[in-house]
C-alpha cells in the first residue's frame, strides 16, 4: 500500500472518521478537489482512463479522464490531479438510486433530489480516500457547493418566477424559468425546482450557494475534506441563510383586492426586475424595498418566509444514535462527544476536545487527563471505549505506560498541534 511520508498517515486513518449521522439534510453537493501527494501511476492503473487533449495559451497538453459514479477524475501531464462532480450524485450512483424520470435506455446522469446526510458525506469521503489511497488532508477544495432541498407546501414555481435581484444583480432564468441564478465574482446563488427537474411527486425547491474563490472557501474554515465537520458545516449553513435572506422577490400571492390604487401601481413596477436595476438608483432601492416587504408581509402568503422556515427546519433535524448519547462529527482535528456522566458537586468543566465533564480533575486542568479517563472508564465504560477507539489509531509507544496515558497524550496532541500548515503551504504551489 502506498504511503505518503509527508502526511504520516495511511488508509488506516480514514477508518477513524466515523460516519455518524447528525444532520438529515443535503448541504455539500458539487465539489472540485485538488488531490496532492498521491501515487499517480497507481491511480491510472486502478481506473479506466481515456486520453484527451487540452489547449491552454496556445499550447497543447495531454490529460487523462476517468468517469467515476457520475463524477470525473482528471490527471494532467503536469501531474495535477482533480476530482470534480456532485458527491450527492456519486452517493446515489454507488447505491443505485435513480431519478423518478430516469429511463433505462438512456445513460444515467445522476440524481440529487433526495436527502443527503452527513453520514453519507463522510462515507463518500472514505470512499474517495480509498480511490486515491490518501488522507482527507490531501484533498484540497477548489470549488464547493452548499445547499438544501426544501419541501414547501406550494409549487416552487410560484416563488421562482418572483425572484428579482440579489445584491444588485438580476437573476438569470433557464429551463422554462424553473431555474434561477445570480452570478457574483466569488460565488453563485442558485434557486431552482428539483421536483420539476426530476418529475418528483413532492414539491422540492433547492437553494444553493456555489463558492468559486478560494478566499470564500477558507473563510468557512474548509480547506480540505478533513475540515468537513459540524462547526464548519454550521458556518456554511449560516452563510447560505444569509445569502437567501438578501434575495429580493415579488410575491405573486399578494391580494390586490385589498390594495389602494397607488399601491397597485407601485406593485406593477416592483414586479419588474428591470425597474429595480435600470430605473431605481442604488440609494433609492432601500426605501422601495421596505415598501415592498411591508406589502408582502401584510397582503400575501409570504412565500419566502415559508421557505426560510423550511430551510431552518431541515437544518435542525437531528438523528440520535441512542437515547443517552449524542455525537458530533469525529475527524482528525476535532472530537465532539457529549456524555451523561454524573459529576461531583462544584463547578462544571468541559474538555474542549472530547466535550466530556472533567470536574473530577484538578482545578487547573482543562483537558481530559488520566484521572478523568479512569473516572470515565468506571462510570461510563461505553463512552470510554468509544474515545479509545477514535484516538488510539497509531502504534503503542514504549514510554506510554498504559491506555489512559496514551489517550491523554492524543488529546493533548489534538489540542496543541496545528496540522493545517503543510496543507495550506502545499495548496499555494498549484
Amino acid at each position: 500500500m502506498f504511503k505518503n511520508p509527508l502526511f504520516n498517515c495511511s488508509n488506516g486513518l480514514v477508518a477513524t472518521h466515523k460516519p455518524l449521522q447528525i444532520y438529515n439534510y443535503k448541504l455539500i453537493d458539487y465539489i472540485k478537489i485538488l488531490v496532492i501527494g498521491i501515487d499517480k501511476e497507481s491511480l491510472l492503473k486502478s481506473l479506466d482512463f481515456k486520453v484527451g487533449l487540452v489547449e491552454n495559451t496556445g499550447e497543447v497538453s495531454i490529460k487523462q479522464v476517468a468517469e467515476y459514479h457520475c463524477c470525473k477524475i482528471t490527471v494532467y501531464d503536469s501531474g495535477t490531479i482533480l476530482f470534480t462532480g456532485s458527491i450527492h450524485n456519486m452517493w446515489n450512483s454507488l447505491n443505485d438510486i435513480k431519478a423518478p424520470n430516469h429511463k433505462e435506455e438512456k445513460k444515467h446522469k445522476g440524481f440529487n433530489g433526495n436527502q443527503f446526510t452527513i453520514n453519507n458525506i463522510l462515507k463518500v469521503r472514505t470512499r474517495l480516500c480509498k480511490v486515491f489511497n490518501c488522507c482527507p488532508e490531501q484533498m484540497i477544495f477548489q470549488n464547493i457547493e452548499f445547499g438544501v432541498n426544501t419541501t414547501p407546501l406550494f409549487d416552487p414555481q410560484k416563488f421562482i418566477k418572483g425572484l428579482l435581484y440579489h445584491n444588485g444583480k438580476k437573476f438569470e432564468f433557464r429551463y422554462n424559468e424553473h431555474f434561477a441564478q445570480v452570478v457574483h465574482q466569488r460565488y453563485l446563488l442558485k434557486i431552482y425546482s428539483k421536483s420539476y427537474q426530476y418529475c418528483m411527486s413532492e414539491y422540492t425547491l433547492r437553494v444553493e450557494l456555489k463558492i468559486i474563490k478560494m478566499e470564500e472557501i477558507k473563510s468557512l474554515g474548509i480547506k480540505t475534506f478533513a475540515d468537513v465537520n459540524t462547526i464548519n458545516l454550521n458556518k456554511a449553513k449560516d452563510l447560505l441563510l444569509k445569502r437567501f435572506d438578501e434575495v429580493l422577490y415579488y410575491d405573486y400571492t399578494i391580494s390586490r383586492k385589498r390594495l389602494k390604487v397607488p399601491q397597485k401601481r407601485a406593485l406593477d413596477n416592483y414586479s419588474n426586475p428591470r425597474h429595480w436595476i435600470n430605473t431605481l438608483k442604488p440609494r433609492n432601492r432601500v426605501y422601495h424595498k421596505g415598501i415592498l416587504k411591508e406589502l408582502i408581509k401584510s397582503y400575501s402568503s409570504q412565500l419566502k418566509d415559508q421557505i426560510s422556515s423550511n430551510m431552518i427546519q431541515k437544518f435542525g433535524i437531528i438523528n440520535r444514535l441512542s437515547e443517552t448519547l449524542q455525537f458530533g462529527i469525529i475527524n482528525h482535528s476535532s472530537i465532539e462527544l457529549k456524555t451523561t456522566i454524573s459529576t461531583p458537586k462544584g463547578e462544571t468543566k468541559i474538555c474542549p476536545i472530547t466535550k466530556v465533564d472533567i470536574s473530577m480533575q484538578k482545578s487547573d486542568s482543562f483537558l481530559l487527563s488520566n484521572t478523568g479517563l479512569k473516572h470515565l472508564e468506571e462510570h461510563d465504560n461505553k463512552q470510554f471505549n468509544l474515545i479509545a477507539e477514535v484516538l488510539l489509531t497509531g502504534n503503542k509507544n514504549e514510554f506510554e505506560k498504559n491506555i489512559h496515558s496514551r489517550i491523554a497524550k492524543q488529546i493533548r496532541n489534538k489540542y496543541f498541534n496545528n496540522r493545517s500548515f503543510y496543507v495550506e503551504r502545499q495548496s499555494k504551489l498549484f
Side-chain angles (χ1 to χ4, degrees):
M1 179 176 61
F2 173 76
K3 294 183 179 181
N4 188 338
L6 294 174
F7 289 89
N8 191 29
C9 63
S10 66
N11 280 345
L13 179 62
V14 176
T16 69
H17 296 258
K18 300 292 182 181
L20 304 176
Q21 186 169 336
I22 300 298
Y23 294 102
N24 187 23
Y25 60 82
K26 173 185 174 183
L27 190 58
I28 299 179
D29 191 5
Y30 177 89
I31 57 176
K32 179 180 179 182
I33 287 179
L34 173 68
V35 187
I36 62 174
I38 70 168
D39 188 340
K40 184 180 77 171
E41 297 305 320
S42 295
L43 176 65
L44 291 173
K45 293 177 182 178
S46 65
L47 297 172
D48 183 19
F49 281 89
K50 296 182 180 179
V51 179
L53 299 177
V54 57
E55 293 187 18
N56 186 18
T57 63
E59 297 182 359
V60 178
S61 59
I62 297 175
K63 66 177 181 180
Q64 299 184 66
V65 181
E67 293 188 3
Y68 187 77
H69 291 283
C70 302
C71 298
K72 288 185 178 180
I73 298 172
T74 306
V75 179
Y76 296 88
D77 57 359
S78 63
T80 300
I81 300 173
L82 293 176
F83 172 88
T84 55
S86 163
I87 59 173
H88 192 171
N89 284 349
M90 175 181 164
W91 171 258
N92 282 334
S93 176
L94 287 167
N95 292 277
D96 198 30
I97 300 173
K98 298 177 182 178
N101 60 349
H102 171 71
K103 296 181 179 179
E104 292 299 330
E105 64 271 16
K106 293 187 177 181
K107 181 181 178 181
H108 177 48
K109 295 183 179 180
F111 173 58
N112 62 354
N114 57 343
Q115 293 298 328
F116 187 45
T117 69
I118 189 64
N119 185 10
N120 305 148
I121 294 173
L122 296 185
K123 286 183 178 179
V124 167
R125 180 174 70 182
T126 299
R127 181 66 172 251
L128 289 178
C129 285
K130 292 180 179 178
V131 169
F132 293 113
N133 195 12
C134 72
C135 301
E137 293 92 337
Q138 292 169 257
M139 294 186 284
I140 303 172
F141 286 110
Q142 307 293 293
N143 290 350
I144 189 168
E145 283 183 356
F146 301 102
V148 61
N149 291 339
T150 68
T151 51
L153 299 177
F154 54 86
D155 186 342
Q157 192 58 21
K158 289 184 179 181
F159 176 73
I160 294 173
K161 70 178 182 179
L163 293 172
L164 296 170
Y165 76 93
H166 177 266
N167 286 345
K169 289 196 173 184
K170 290 189 298 183
F171 278 90
E172 306 168 358
F173 294 88
R174 301 176 187 172
Y175 308 113
N176 295 326
E177 298 193 344
H178 287 82
F179 174 97
Q181 74 171 13
V182 59
V183 180
H184 294 283
Q185 185 177 8
R186 295 191 174 194
Y187 63 88
L188 284 73
L189 179 64
K190 304 177 185 179
I191 302 174
Y192 57 100
S193 173
K194 282 288 180 185
S195 43
Y196 173 82
Q197 180 183 4
Y198 292 122
C199 297
M200 299 167 65
S201 58
E202 182 179 33
Y203 287 141
T204 304
L205 174 75
R206 178 157 177 81
V207 181
E208 182 176 279
L209 187 64
K210 180 177 181 179
I211 299 179
I212 54 180
K213 292 292 184 179
M214 284 298 295
E215 292 81 3
E216 290 285 303
I217 299 175
K218 290 180 180 179
S219 68
L220 296 172
I222 300 178
K223 300 174 184 177
T224 75
F225 223 142
D227 299 318
V228 176
N229 55 49
T230 50
I231 294 174
N232 292 332
L233 289 182
N234 272 322
K235 291 179 183 178
K237 173 204 71 176
D238 291 341
L239 180 59
L240 182 65
L241 289 170
K242 176 185 176 183
R243 295 303 182 211
F244 184 70
D245 185 61
E246 293 167 345
V247 168
L248 183 70
Y249 86 113
Y250 177 81
D251 198 317
Y252 279 95
T253 67
I254 293 177
S255 176
R256 286 177 169 252
K257 294 179 180 180
R258 300 164 56 193
L259 300 180
K260 298 178 181 179
V261 173
Q263 291 175 318
K264 293 180 180 178
R265 290 175 180 169
L267 285 180
D268 289 338
N269 288 326
Y270 290 163
S271 63
N272 184 358
R274 293 184 179 85
H275 172 76
W276 291 94
I277 302 299
N278 301 333
T279 304
L280 291 177
K281 294 182 180 180
R283 65 175 179 270
N284 295 329
R285 290 174 191 163
V286 176
Y287 170 76
H288 290 282
K289 280 170 61 176
I291 296 176
L292 176 58
K293 288 182 178 181
E294 191 60 36
L295 290 172
I296 290 173
K297 181 179 179 180
S298 302
Y299 301 104
S300 80
S301 300
Q302 302 182 63
L303 300 184
K304 185 183 175 186
D305 285 352
Q306 291 188 49
I307 295 170
S308 294
S309 297
N310 192 252
M311 289 173 68
I312 294 171
Q313 180 185 21
K314 294 292 183 183
F315 287 131
I317 296 175
I318 297 177
N319 294 324
R320 295 192 177 190
L321 229 67
S322 69
E323 294 181 357
T324 60
L325 192 59
Q326 291 182 341
F327 298 86
I329 299 175
I330 298 178
N331 64 26
H332 78 289
S333 60
S334 68
I335 301 177
E336 300 177 10
L337 305 169
K338 296 183 180 179
T339 129
T340 56
I341 303 174
S342 58
T343 60
K345 294 181 180 180
E347 182 183 358
T348 300
K349 292 195 304 179
I350 302 297
C351 170
I353 299 300
T354 63
K355 298 300 185 290
V356 167
D357 189 329
I358 56 173
S359 301
M360 78 296 295
Q361 298 179 182
K362 294 181 180 179
S363 59
D364 59 346
S365 63
F366 64 99
L367 295 173
L368 183 61
S369 66
N370 285 20
T371 301
L373 286 164
K374 292 175 181 178
H375 179 93
L376 185 63
E377 184 178 28
E378 180 180 353
H379 291 84
D380 193 339
N381 189 256
K382 181 178 179 180
Q383 181 70 11
F384 174 84
N385 288 334
L386 175 61
I387 293 176
E389 179 187 354
V390 171
L391 293 176
L392 299 183
T393 58
N395 296 324
K396 184 176 180 180
N397 189 316
E398 61 178 321
F399 299 104
E400 296 167 346
K401 298 179 180 180
N402 54 48
I403 189 172
H404 305 105
S405 298
R406 294 178 62 200
I407 296 173
K409 180 180 178 180
Q410 291 300 317
I411 292 172
R412 293 194 300 272
N413 287 344
K414 290 182 182 298
Y415 184 83
F416 291 108
N417 288 354
N418 180 5
R419 298 190 178 190
S420 63
F421 171 75
Y422 176 79
V423 173
E424 184 169 3
R425 180 171 66 84
Q426 187 76 1
S427 65
K428 294 178 180 178
L429 300 177
F430 293 87

